[in-house]
Every structure is written in C-alpha cells, then in structure tokens.
Amino acid sequence: MAQLLTLQGGKPLEGTVKVRGAKNLVPKAMVASLLGSEPSQLRNVPEIKDVDIVTSLLTIHGVKVDADPATGDLTLDPRQAYSAEHSEVDAHAGDSRIPILFCGPLMHKTGEAFIPDLGGCRIGDRPIDYHLEVLRTFGAVVDKGPTGIHISAPKGLHGVKLDLPYPSVGATEQVLLTAVLAEGITELKNAAVEPEIHDLIAVLQQMGAIITVYTDRTIRIEGVTKLGGYKHRAIPDRNESASWASAALVTRGDIYVQGAVQRDLSAFLNTYRKIGGEFSVDDDGIRFWHAGGTLKPLVLETDVHPGFMTDWQQPMVVALTQAEGVSIVHETVYEERFGFTEALQRMGASIQLHRECLGSNPCRFGQRNFLHSAVISGASELRGTDIDVPDLRGGFSHLIAAMAAQGTSRVTGIEIINRGYEKFVDKITGLGADVELSRV
C-alpha cells in the first residue's frame, strides 16, 4: 500500500533537526569498501533508502554489513565477496542508479559486474552510456543483454587519460572507484570537485590509494596493487541542511540544523542572505530564520561546485515564490529539473518556464529545446492541493510549499523522499508541522 501524507499548512516551523552523513557520499563510500582486503567502518550514516539499497547489493555480493542505528555506524567486511546472481542484482537494485558504480570495484574483486535497467529521479537525461565508455577505456568488455549489461575485464584494467565533456559527479566517481586498483596512472581532466568527491577521495586515500587533486579540476590516480580498509566519518548532508534552511524561510520559521557545516554551504548562504534569510553559525550547526519584512527577488544560476548547487535550486524556488518582485532562475545542470513547478503553479505560484538561457552565460541546454529557465513573480499566496512527488528534491520542496500554504495538502509518492531525507516525517512533526500519515 502507498503512503499518503495529509498536511495542514500555515504554521511556522520552529525547533531543531539533526542531519547526518551526506546521501551523495555515504552510498559511494559503502561501494568503495568492496575494493578493500580488510573491513571498513563508516560513521555518521543516515537511515535512508539509498543506504538500504546499497546494503542489500553489498550483502548479495558476499559483503558482511553490520549496522548500529543508534550511532549511525556501519562495519563492512568484503573479504568473502563473490559474484551475485543477475536476478538478485535486478531484484535488489530497485530504481536506484547506484549499481553503475559497483562496476569497477566488482571487476577488481570478482572479475565481472552486472547492471540491471536503471531508474533514478525524473529530472533529466542521466545516461549510463558515458559510464560504459569510461569502463571500456580502462579495458572492460561490455555486453548488453535483454535484462541488463554484463561487464568483465579479461585482460585487466589499465590507467587512462580522460577529459570529461562536463564535470559530472557520477563520471568522476566512476573513474576514482575504477582507477585506484587499475595498473598504471590515470589522469582525469575537468573532474567534479564537490565536497562529496573530496570526501570519497579521503576514504580511498585511507585505504591506500594515491590520488592528487590539482587546482585546474585535474585528478591524478596512481594505481596500487592492494587496498585495505578505512575508518571514516561521513561529511554532513549539505543538501538536507539547505532544504531545512529554505523551510525556515518559506514558513517564516526558525530552525537550528545540527550538523550543518558553513564551509560546504558558502554559495547557498550568500543567496540565503540576499533573499532575506538570516543565519548564525556555531560549532555544532547553523541556525536559520526569516529575518522579517519582505523577501527580495534575485537572479540565480545553478552550477557545479563551487557554484550554487542544482539540489538547492528547488527549495529555493519555493522561497522565491514568496519574494516581492520578479526572480529569474537558470538551471544549467539538469535540463528537466523544473517539472516540480507544475504543482507550485496549482498552489497559486506564478512561474513561467522558458527554453532560452536566462542566466549570465549560455549553457549546454540553450539550443536543445528544454524548459530550463524560470521566471517567478511574487509574492504569491499558496493554497493547499493534491501533490504526487516527482523526484527527491522536488518532493521535499513540495512539502515546504505545503507547510507554508493555507489549507490542506494531500501528498503521495513520499517514498521517494525517503531516499535522501532521514525520518523526514518525524522531523517536520517535531518542528510543529500538522501532518497525518496514512495508507491508501
């Protein structure tokens, strides 16, 4: 049975929430444990669906995973790893795109890997073809079948020189997880350099990898013959932190986000202050609140790190519906990330989508007929409505809008939100939201 969240809006959110390890790091660090010859320990792990999926995938490949939910610690022992049945991989992968990152580690560990048909959030074109081409460059043999893709490395994997056409996080992770045990040196140009990438590099370095990151987005990996385990505390989830900050802004509330780190939120905090939010930082987290008065419109453009993250865009768009005047948002990372605005329009928001690049620079989507720019006119009075969650960040943004709206909203598809937000219903309830969870 599906879950239905009934939400009565119009109440400021006030109180404290705790964020744990980053969704964009923890599953990848779990996959990295496969590369080791010894057990690894990962701390600060959130209870989210993506962690459950990777735990299942590791388990069917013979990795012993022990979890302590009270502390958020995982112990991962890969010493008895083996190749899983294709049907098992297909059954446990669900709609996650994580299996593509198992390929390099599994080829190093067992000599082969299998990828089922992959899903993921409906936010744009996220093809795996480039991942497969990268693996071929390392020396992998890729065989596409009716139920998935079989990948092997009969002659081993060898270091390569790569220049990414776009600094993709997923492609950078793929190269890192494959190159560390490949023979020779790998040089990756135009790599992603997000904090989660640096944290994954820290994990691999603890295991014995030799990785150098240069200031021009070049990463150099010297392949080694053996890796050990790691003991690592995952960086906090900056995307969840930004989501709660936006919730405080939209509902005119006051939320202390325990675990939020200023260093990884710099671009977001600048924008937050420009629109009319306020924050204060201490050793344990960041307090976010509405500074009073009217919110200010702005021109916003998403970008790869260190720019304004695409995952921050959707909750910030909800805040901009409450700003007095016209705001412009140019999405340059995912071409279809404005699909979530349809529900906001039904709630009363004035949002117009455009195919043109309305940012400071033309982007790669400008000539491809995608609605990737938004003009938002405010302030709009939001009204409760029925919503079906389209994707992870869009879904949480809908919750933010519903909590600020007048009247009742009925939200389905909230299982998607569980992929990246730990115990989010308990958290919004603890902040004072009036919600009821039922089955339909």
Side-chain angles (χ1 to χ4, degrees):
M1 296 179 67
Q3 291 183 315
L4 169 68
L5 188 68
T6 303
L7 198 153
Q8 305 293 334
K11 295 181 63 177
L13 297 185
E14 297 177 340
T16 298
V17 293
K18 181 180 180 179
V19 299
R20 292 208 275 188
K23 172 210 174 262
N24 288 347
L25 176 277
V26 168
K28 292 59 176 298
M30 294 172 66
V31 173
S33 70
L34 257 175
L35 294 161
S37 58
E38 301 169 1
S40 293
Q41 185 182 76
L42 184 60
R43 302 188 300 277
N44 201 30
V45 176
E47 295 181 54
I48 56 175
K49 185 66 175 176
D50 275 16
V51 169
D52 294 339
I53 290 172
V54 178
T55 297
S56 296
L57 290 170
L58 287 171
T59 301
I60 65 173
H61 283 95
V63 178
K64 184 180 180 183
V65 183
D66 293 318
D68 185 343
T71 61
D73 291 354
L74 283 182
T75 301
L76 308 111
D77 187 346
R79 288 176 293 184
Q80 303 299 321
Y82 51 79
S83 295
E85 294 291 334
H86 292 185
S87 58
E88 286 188 294
V89 177
D90 198 15
H92 288 276
D95 62 357
S96 171
R97 302 182 69 87
I98 289 291
I100 189 66
L101 294 180
F102 272 74
C103 293
L106 280 174
M107 280 189 289
H108 287 304
K109 199 75 174 181
T110 69
E112 62 177 357
F114 173 75
I115 311 169
D117 291 333
L118 298 176
C121 287
R122 302 189 299 272
I123 55 176
D125 190 19
R126 304 168 87 182
I128 66 169
D129 288 350
Y130 191 75
H131 285 263
L132 299 178
E133 189 56 41
V134 165
L135 293 169
R136 288 190 184 98
T137 305
F138 276 101
V141 175
V142 178
D143 295 313
K144 295 186 178 182
T147 60
I149 303 167
H150 180 261
I151 303 174
S152 59
K155 296 182 179 180
L157 299 173
H158 304 274
V160 296
K161 287 190 175 184
L162 294 164
D163 192 344
L164 296 181
Y166 182 79
S168 161
V169 170
T172 301
E173 292 165 341
Q174 183 71 260
V175 171
L176 288 169
L177 292 168
T178 304
V180 285
L181 284 177
E183 182 181 345
I185 294 173
T186 295
E187 184 179 89
L188 178 63
K189 291 184 178 295
N190 201 29
V193 292
E194 272 71 4
E196 294 83 7
I197 292 290
H198 281 280
D199 214 35
L200 180 59
I201 290 172
V203 164
L204 294 169
Q205 187 179 53
Q206 284 189 48
M207 299 176 76
I210 301 174
I211 305 172
T212 305
V213 182
Y214 297 95
T215 56
D216 63 349
R217 290 186 175 271
T218 297
I219 299 178
R220 186 175 188 269
I221 306 110
E222 300 179 39
V224 297
T225 58
K226 184 178 180 181
L227 294 174
Y230 65 79
K231 291 183 178 180
H232 186 75
R233 180 179 177 83
I235 59 171
D237 196 313
R238 61 197 177 116
N239 296 331
E240 183 179 356
S241 298
S243 295
W244 292 118
S246 296
L249 195 60
V250 175
T251 66
R252 304 184 73 88
D254 189 330
I255 300 176
Y256 179 73
V257 183
Q258 183 180 350
V261 175
Q262 179 183 6
R263 176 195 63 238
D264 297 335
L265 288 165
S266 179
F268 176 83
L269 295 174
N270 287 337
T271 299
Y272 195 77
R273 186 163 275 162
K274 287 178 182 179
I275 192 177
E278 194 49 87
F279 62 91
S280 63
V281 181
D282 63 31
D283 290 344
D284 297 319
I286 304 176
R287 175 190 166 207
F288 297 96
W289 70 95
H290 191 295
T294 58
L295 298 183
K296 305 176 185 65
L298 48 79
V299 176
L300 182 63
E301 194 165 33
T302 65
D303 202 354
V304 296
H305 187 77
F308 191 93
M309 274 197 71
T310 180
D311 286 342
W312 301 336
Q313 175 257 107
Q314 290 162 297
M316 185 56 70
V317 163
V318 180
L320 290 173
T321 68
Q322 303 306 296
E324 294 282 353
V326 177
S327 297
I328 296 174
V329 180
H330 181 209
E331 171 61 50
T332 74
V333 180
Y334 290 125
E335 65 271 32
E336 294 179 359
R337 198 141 211 181
F338 285 123
F340 82 106
T341 60
E342 185 272 335
L344 298 183
Q345 291 168 330
R346 288 191 287 107
M347 298 178 82
S350 175
I351 303 174
Q352 294 179 321
L353 302 183
H354 296 268
R355 291 177 173 82
E356 295 78 17
C357 294
L358 299 183
S360 57
N361 295 303
C363 78
R364 59 199 175 119
F365 306 135
Q367 304 301 319
R368 295 174 59 194
N369 208 31
F370 293 115
L371 294 169
H372 70 295
S373 293
V375 177
I376 305 155
S377 302
S380 299
E381 182 176 336
L382 301 179
R383 304 178 299 275
T385 191
D386 291 348
I387 300 168
D388 186 46
V389 170
D391 63 79
L392 175 61
R393 305 301 171 190
F396 196 85
S397 301
H398 288 154
L399 291 185
I400 293 174
M403 287 183 284
Q406 296 299 315
T408 304
S409 293
R410 291 160 48 90
V411 186
T412 54
I414 63 171
E415 295 82 4
I416 295 174
I417 302 177
N418 288 322
R419 283 189 51 222
Y421 291 88
E422 180 182 44
K423 299 178 179 178
F424 74 92
V425 174
D426 292 341
K427 289 181 179 180
I428 60 176
T429 302
L431 293 172
D434 184 355
V435 299
E436 178 183 344
L437 190 62
S438 58
R439 297 279 182 176
V440 293

